[in-house]
Amino acid sequence: MQTSPGEHAQQATAAGNAITRLHREHYGRGASTTRVIYQRNYLIVFLEDIYTPVERTLIDAGREDTVRETRQVFQDEMRRRFSEAIERETGRKVIAFMSQVHFEPDMAAEIFVLEPSKSDNDDLSASQLDGA
């Protein structure tokens, strides 16, 4: 199924809103800014200004490792919900999910790899086929 550029942009916006909403519902705080990159089989949601007051206190005390570990455990638990939200908004199956946080600047990246669509398989370039 081929999507138009406008539909693709709408899906990206809806995906970013869904991930921001899930963060807000489960952390008690959402990002102040969300940006989405959606190209081919890759959708990345960048969330800025993400940390809760408790996390900010730990970060200020030099406990970034504790915040990173807690967030990673949370992301592992949220994998299914995040993937389902992306699948619902894009109409495509998520085949991989990765998550990373950063402290300065204060941000996270939720990375989704989508199952290739038929049109993606048909559009493989020679460099991809040659392994370049």
Side-chain angles (χ1 to χ4, degrees), residues 28-60:
R29 182 175 195 290
S32 64
T33 304
T34 302
R35 304 211 189 285
V36 180
I37 298 172
Y38 183 14
Q39 292 181 329
R40 291 198 146 182
N41 304 326
Y42 307 100
L43 190 145
I44 304 169
V45 180
F46 292 97
L47 303 142
E48 299 176 19
D49 187 25
I50 59 168
Y51 296 113
T52 66
V54 169
E55 290 172 322
R56 180 57 49 207
T57 299
L58 291 170
I59 292 165
D60 291 345

Side-chain angles (χ1 to χ4, degrees), residues 124-132:
L124 288 176
S125 68
S127 65
Q128 289 172 305
L129 295 173
D130 292 338

Side-chain angles (χ1 to χ4, degrees), residues 76-100:
D76 289 345
E77 290 301 318
M78 292 296 293
R79 177 180 307 275
R80 181 184 54 78
R81 287 184 181 136
F82 284 177
S83 295
E84 287 173 351
I86 297 303
E87 289 173 351
R88 181 175 54 254
E89 301 303 343
T90 64
R92 296 181 61 190
K93 180 175 174 44
V94 172
I95 60 173
F97 167 69
M98 296 159 272
S99 180
Q100 186 63 51

Side-chain angles (χ1 to χ4, degrees), residues 116-130:
S117 66
K118 170 135 176 51
S119 63
D120 289 331
N121 289 332
D122 292 343
D123 291 341
L124 288 176
S125 68
S127 65
Q128 289 172 305
L129 295 173
D130 292 338

